[in-house]
Amino acid sequence: MKRLRVAVLASGTGSLLQAILDGQDDHYEVALVVTDRPGVKAIERAQAAGVEVLVFDFKDFASREEFSEAIARAEGERGIDLAIQAGFMRILSPIYFRTLGVPSMNSHPALLPSFPGAHGVREAMEWGVKITGTTIHFVDEEVDHGPIILQEAVVVEESDTEEMLHERIKAVEQRLYPEAIRLFAEGRLEVEGRRVRRL
Ligand code: GRF
């Protein structure tokens, strides 16, 4: 088994990034962290772990295509095997995936295909669902759409605020994401159309 070189794209506090960093083992190493926001906590976390950080400030680019292509090129130059989105809040253009040429994963804080988009936790609560959860999926050119690798339910309590519920969902994401990366590293994820089989 090859030790995967993983890139992590993150925009915020990076608690998911931290879980992925903490999960490094003979399956994978985090070789690069990419963010679109200067000054976020995710940068500190990467630096503390001795991982290279690149900041791609969206406003420095003429278009979403240029922004997306620049990130994919940087990943390619560093020999990345798997590109992970962990709370990355920018939509990447199709050119990102064509340039990247390796698989990409995302973690979404709801049970897809319900509640895609940037406010999955809030929209699930507002809909009044009793169960929501998290989805780790391969990324394709449509937002929150690619084949599902792992899902786990989280019960919505009547006393929940959005923040409380999101914290419980994040705890599950932090456990599932390193597991999904390990399954991939072991060659145990077979994609057939929309379905991912665990070998
Ligand atoms: C996670 O819930 C992720 O699914 C969502 O943003 C959150 C990231 O949190 N897209 P953090 O920045 O890793 O703490």
Side-chain angles (χ1 to χ4, degrees), residues 1-30:
M1 184 182 66
K2 177 182 187 261
R3 191 172 187 231
L4 291 184
R5 289 174 62 76
V6 173
V8 182
L9 280 60
S11 300
T13 56
S15 59
L16 207 40
L17 165 64
Q18 189 65 57
I20 295 164
L21 288 167
D22 293 345
Q24 290 179 100
D25 59 5
D26 57 340
H27 290 73
Y28 75 90
E29 65 172 310
V30 179

Side-chain angles (χ1 to χ4, degrees), residues 119-193:
H119 305 291
V121 179
R122 185 187 315 159
E123 286 169 10
M125 279 191 87
E126 285 172 351
W127 194 262
V129 300
K130 305 297 186 195
I131 293 170
T132 182
T134 185
T135 305
I136 313 287
H137 63 96
F138 285 113
V139 180
D140 62 14
E141 294 183 8
E142 286 179 57
V143 175
D144 296 334
H145 175 270
I148 293 169
I149 303 166
L150 296 172
Q151 270 185 322
E152 194 170 303
V154 173
V155 172
V156 183
E157 305 291 348
E158 282 183 17
S159 55
D160 268 340
T161 61
E162 180 184 345
E163 195 185 10
M164 287 159 66
L165 177 58
H166 199 171
E167 282 308 312
R168 290 206 307 287
I169 292 172
K170 279 189 184 187
V172 178
E173 294 182 279
Q174 289 161 14
R175 178 164 46 77
L176 290 196
Y177 221 158
E179 188 185 331
I181 300 169
R182 283 192 201 102
L183 287 169
F184 180 78
E186 289 171 357
R188 291 173 57 201
L189 298 177
E190 190 179 79
V191 183
E192 287 172 5

